[in-house]
Each structure stands twice: as C-alpha cells, then as structure tokens.
Amino acid sequence: MATPEAITEAVTALYDNDLTTGILGPFAELNQEFVLASGYLVFFMHCGFAMLSIGCVRAKFAKHIAILILVDATASALGFYLFGYAFAYGDASITTPDGLVNPAGNGFIGKYYFALHGLAPGQYYTWLFQWTFAATACTIVSGAIAERTRFEAYILYSLFMSAWVYPVIVHSIWSSSGWASMFRKGTFISGGGGLLFGSGAIDFAGSGAVHMTGGYAAFAGAWVLGPRIGRFLPDGTSVDMAGHNTSLFVLGVMILWFGWYGFNPGSQLAIVSAPGSTSFYANAVANAAVTTSLAPAASGLTGLFLTAILLKMKTGKHHWDIMAMGNATLAGLVAITSGTSTVYPWAAIVIGIVAGIIYPLASRLMVMLKVDDPLDAIAVHAFNGTWGVIAVGLFAGESLITQSYGFHPYLTSASGAADVPRNYGCFMGGNGRLLAAQIVYAIWLGGWVLVNMFIFWYILKLLGWFRVNAADEAAGLDASHHGGSAYPVDLDDDASHKGSSYNGNQSGYNKGELDQIRSELAALRQSVGKNRTADGHTGNGVPTEAPGSNMV
C-alpha cells in the first residue's frame, strides 16, 4: 500500500502551473465528468415531474400532462441551444487594466455563442448541465396550467422561456459579468463594475433562477388562463378535483428528491480544487448533499403535521394527507437550493421547517384568490423559491461561503493579502449587505418574470391560442386532443370519465365494441335477477341470501 507522501506526490504531478485552471489531465476530466453526471441526474428529474404530474391530474388528462413534460425537454433544448446559452453565458474574456481576466459583456445579457458557434468543444459539458436547469425551470409551469391548455401554446411557451426569460436571469446571477453575480470581478466591466452592495447575491443552485422563475411564470399563466370548468362555484365555493393516482405522485416525489442530488451538489461545477485555491470544492459538495437531505426531511414532516391541524380545525376530522406531505417535501428542496453549499446542516433544518409552514398556507391562499393550480406548483416553487433566496441572507456562514466561492474578489487585508472574507448572513453575524443583495435580486427576478410572462400569456389569450374550448375540456383532453384515454379501460370511479372515447391501439377494442360488451353483460345480469326472483336460487342452484345478510 502506498504511503500518504507517495499519494500526495502522485496527485501533485497531475497538476500544472496554468493560472487559469491550475488543473491538468485526469483531474480536469474528473471535474467535467462530475458536472456531466450531475446533469444526467437533473435530466432524470423529468421522469419524476412526469410521474408526479400524471398522478396529480384527473385520469382523462394523463396523456395531456405527459406530453407537456416531453415538450419541455425537446423545445427547451432547441431554445437554449439557439439563443438561451448565448444570452446567459455569451461573454468574451479580456484582460483588464487591473490585471484580472474579465468578461467583455454587460450586466444584463450575453451576446456570443448563439447555436454554440465559437464555443470550444471542451466547454460543451457546461451547455449540457445548464440546459437541464433551463428545462427544469420550464416544466414547473405545466402543472399550474394543466387540464385546459392548448398543446400548441405550450410549445411556444417552452421556447420563449428557455430562449429569453430564463437566460436573462441566469446571466444576472451566474455569469461573470452579471449585475447581481458573486462571480463579478474587478472594475473594468462594460456597464459598471463591482459587486451588488459590495457582496453580490448567492443563488447557488437556483431557488431563484430556476424555481422562482418557474413559479412566477406559473402564477401568471394560471391567472390569465383562469380556473378549470367547475373548480369554483358561482358562490365562490371551491370544488376539489383530486388527482387519480397517489402512487405515481409519491414515486415522482422520490425521483425528484433523488435527482436533486445532482441539482444541488452538482452546481459547484467541480469537485477537485486547484492547488493553492482558497475554495474546497469537495467539502462544499458534501455540505450540499447533507443539506439537500435535511431540509426536505424537516419540511415534509412539518407540512404533514400543519396540514393535519388545519384540516382538524376546518372539518373536525383528522387524517394524514400524503399529498400535502409530498408537496411540503418538495418545498423544502426548493427552499434549500439557493443556500445548499453555504448554510450549516442545522440551518437547513430551520429553512425546511419554515418551508413546511409556507407551503400549506400558500396553497390555501391560491384557492382564496381563485387561482387554480392543480399541482400546487405556485405554492411549492414561487413562495418557497423566494424564501430560499432570502434565507441565504440570514443563514449563510462565513467559512462555508469561502469554501464554495473563495475570498472577496477585489478586497485585500491590511497586509495586502487577498484573504478578506465575503459578506455572510445576518443571523451568523453578518452586516446585512448579503441580505440586501438577496432582496434586490429576488424583487428584480419576480418583476422580470411577471412582466414578460403576463404579456406573453395575454397575447396568446387574445389570439385564442391559449385555452381549449369548453367541450374539449369537459370531455378530457386525452380523448379530444390526444387520440384517446391513457388507460385500457375507463376509470369508473370518476363519473367525468364515462362516455369518453377509447384508444383502440391501447385497449384492443373500439368504443362500439366495448358498448356492445357492456349491453350483453347488463342483459345477463337482468336474466340472472329474474331467475333469482322466480325460484329464490342463483343460476347455479345455490339459495340466495336472506335480507340483511353479508353477501358481497
């Protein structure tokens, strides 16, 4: 077995003296593979979104919501390839008078790498990872406008979101020239220099950039689109339209949680630090994994208990709501995403508990406002994404920020060393600058999304492209728009599914054949009933049960 000294010598030999990365060979490739593997996990989250969404809608809309999830994967890939990546990260590097390498872009938007033109093949792995996040932001909206949205409108939405709305937000917070970015270095940047409030905002894996974006776009869409037929009565009473498959819902929650281990730890974008670096990427990745476990655990239980209390107060009855627990668990994951690498495990539990309180209250608020959201996407993503961004300004730890982001990029200590810590959370002894940056970033993000998406949805509505007609909605979009039911037979436990058309390719029978079979079965039952009436026996000669017996 090799000695520790021998291992250290071998590892050191793999590094070079390149001042840009400091990493050569297998270690550089290890970082790339770490990012790619994380991207694969994030993409797998779409399986979770599909299962969760299908479980939350009524059976006659299962195909419809499933195809919207597929649209998000396909349309967003093209939108982000053609325009999105360029707007988000299209900055050219220059060496500035202060000796730093900085992007020659502006704080609002990038302008290079359209359709990846000019992007070095060695950077393609970053496109893959960033696209999976764009697709995730897009798919949040599908649940809030489910069961009444035109398929064609959703294609246009997914392209618009991935090519324009989302990339501008990403540029502001994750690019090296973004006005709110922690990575903004030096003072020679077109449009101004320095960090927001001398700090910059932290949105490590996207409580804001991904979840607030998707959640606020979902709110705008649900508001403009209006509720499903029958969701709210004329007197304001809400009518429950429960999903049809709790098992798929729970499977979706667990797949999403699993995928979040790529979403959050992977956002460090490396696991091996350069020699002499003040950042310790592996430690930051490990911290992100732990907080990604604890926050949803705390929020899931909190949401479960709070919902039980609220139901008891409202109805006088007590039961444990698995749907509330699942969505509260997701709320905790959303909330921890901004600060996952920069808050301590105990703080992740606190953040999760607050998220577990916010979710059921926000869900009830949407019902009060008559905003119809079949999946509670707004309550989960918009409200808890906002909480997650703000929570960083309260709980981010000084040493954890240094571990993940390094020291302040342009301040030096009295000795001239570049070892000045960045600003950190108020509750951890910070001066409030980070919190101020988080609040301004959150306000700007919400405003940007709402303005763009309200305009976009209203244009579709005015053109008549947004909502399906009432007859198609009542029949179910699987039957009226997607060729038939997603299931081989009707689900008779939901009267709204009766009379819908069937998909002959899936059931093996067309509607006429199935109607004939039903008629023959009805006639047979009637004949058996007459025999029982005549002789008090079943057709097999077995005496019938007396009234009040336990015959099944």
Side-chain angles (χ1 to χ4, degrees):
M1 180 179 292
T3 65
E5 291 77 13
I7 294 175
T8 301
E9 181 179 355
V11 168
T12 303
L14 293 174
Y15 290 102
D16 69 355
N17 294 320
D18 190 315
L19 295 179
T20 58
T21 65
I23 301 176
L24 182 67
F27 274 12
E29 293 171 357
L30 178 61
N31 281 340
Q32 292 184 13
E33 178 54 33
F34 171 72
V35 174
L36 285 172
S38 298
Y40 305 151
L41 279 175
V42 176
F43 184 72
F44 184 64
M45 291 173 73
H46 287 272
C47 297
F49 279 119
M51 295 300 96
L52 181 143
S53 300
I54 292 170
C56 283
V57 301
R58 291 172 289 173
K60 60 182 179 179
F61 298 98
K63 275 187 177 179
H64 177 68
I65 194 68
I67 199 169
L68 298 188
I69 304 297
L70 284 172
V71 165
D72 284 319
T74 54
S76 69
L78 296 178
F80 199 68
Y81 166 74
L82 292 172
F83 302 103
Y85 188 84
F87 289 150
Y89 295 103
D91 299 305
S93 295
I94 61 172
T95 301
T96 67
D98 55 12
L100 297 174
V101 176
N102 275 310
N106 61 57
F108 177 70
I109 196 169
K111 62 179 181 179
Y112 297 99
Y113 311 136
F114 292 100
L116 301 188
H117 178 71
L119 184 68
Q123 294 298 310
Y124 281 4
Y125 74 98
T126 64
W127 180 90
L128 184 283
F129 186 75
Q130 299 300 338
W131 160 63
T132 62
F133 277 59
T136 301
C138 289
T139 205
I140 291 168
V141 175
S142 61
I145 59 177
E147 301 194 3
R148 70 265 200 211
T149 302
R150 291 178 63 91
F151 171 69
E152 301 85 350
Y154 198 80
I155 295 176
L156 295 176
Y157 150 74
S158 193
L159 288 169
F160 182 63
M161 173 68 89
S162 61
W164 172 248
V165 179
Y166 172 78
V168 171
I169 295 167
V170 167
H171 188 271
S172 73
I173 190 68
W174 288 339
S175 80
S176 295
S177 62
W179 64 268
S181 177
M182 287 280 283
F183 306 107
R184 189 179 177 92
K185 298 180 180 180
T187 57
F188 188 71
I189 303 176
S190 176
L195 302 176
L196 180 64
F197 292 106
S199 169
I202 293 176
D203 191 8
F204 183 79
S207 290
V210 176
H211 298 284
M212 280 183 67
T213 299
Y216 281 74
F219 173 78
W223 183 279
V224 174
L225 186 61
R228 290 167 289 176
I229 296 174
R231 180 66 173 93
F232 298 104
L233 300 180
D235 63 1
T237 304
S238 63
V239 178
D240 185 32
M241 294 181 169
H244 76 285
N245 197 316
T246 303
S247 299
L248 288 180
F249 169 78
V250 175
L251 176 62
V253 170
M254 298 309 295
I255 291 175
L256 286 170
W257 192 344
F258 176 70
W260 236 286
Y261 289 112
F263 204 96
N264 283 0
S267 291
Q268 187 62 56
L269 301 182
I271 198 167
V272 178
S273 305
S277 173
T278 58
S279 302
F280 300 95
Y281 296 151
N283 291 352
V285 168
N287 192 81
V290 171
T291 56
T292 301
S293 303
L294 293 176
S299 63
L301 289 173
T302 302
L304 175 68
F305 284 110
L306 179 56
T307 300
I309 293 171
L310 294 174
L311 288 173
K312 179 71 172 180
M313 293 170 59
K314 180 179 180 180
T315 66
K317 298 180 181 180
H318 170 75
H319 73 268
W320 303 109
D321 189 340
I322 191 172
M323 305 294 281
M325 185 179 189
N327 277 330
T329 300
L330 296 177
L333 287 164
V334 169
I336 197 60
T337 298
S338 268
T340 183
S341 71
T342 59
V343 302
Y344 290 98
W346 66 263
I349 294 174
V350 175
I351 291 171
I353 290 172
V354 175
I357 295 171
I358 290 174
Y359 162 68
L361 299 180
S363 177
R364 283 157 176 76
L365 176 61
M366 290 298 100
V367 174
M368 290 174 58
L369 295 175
K370 295 182 174 55
V371 176
D372 184 15
D373 180 0
L375 266 71
D376 267 346
I378 301 167
V380 170
H381 297 277
F383 282 85
N384 284 286
T386 304
W387 160 236
V389 171
I390 302 302
V392 175
L394 303 175
F395 294 103
E398 177 184 348
S399 63
L400 294 181
I401 293 177
T402 300
Q403 180 173 270
S404 186
Y405 289 92
F407 289 121
H408 202 287
Y410 62 85
L411 294 183
T412 58
S413 63
S415 64
D419 57 0
V420 177
R422 292 176 179 264
N423 293 282
Y424 50 98
C426 288
F427 291 172
M428 311 301 291
N431 56 19
R433 288 179 175 271
L434 177 60
L435 178 60
Q438 299 298 118
I439 292 173
V440 169
Y441 165 64
I443 292 173
W444 173 84
L445 191 159
W448 170 257
V449 175
L450 289 175
V451 169
N452 276 275
M453 294 313 304
F454 266 119
I455 292 172
F456 178 80
W457 295 129
Y458 267 116
I459 290 174
L460 290 183
K461 184 176 182 178
L462 291 173
L463 293 173
W465 294 354
F466 196 6
R467 184 163 187 153
V468 300
N469 63 56
D472 287 351
E473 182 180 342
L477 298 184
D478 287 3
S480 58
H481 283 225
H482 301 291
S485 172
Y487 301 96
V489 294
D490 267 347
L491 299 183
D492 291 331
D493 58 339
D494 183 348
S496 66
H497 301 147
K498 295 178 180 178
S500 63
S501 63
Y502 293 83
N503 186 340
N505 292 330
Q506 294 186 21
S507 68
Y509 299 94
N510 59 37
K511 186 178 187 300
E513 291 170 333
L514 288 171
D515 287 342
Q516 182 179 355
I517 292 171
R518 286 189 175 121
S519 298
E520 292 172 356
L521 286 173
L524 180 60
R525 292 191 187 101
Q526 185 177 9
S527 175
V528 171
K530 289 179 180 179
N531 290 338
R532 286 176 173 172
T533 302
D535 59 18
H537 289 72
T538 66
N540 294 324
V542 180
T544 58
E545 297 284 344
S549 67
N550 293 324
M551 186 181 75
V552 177

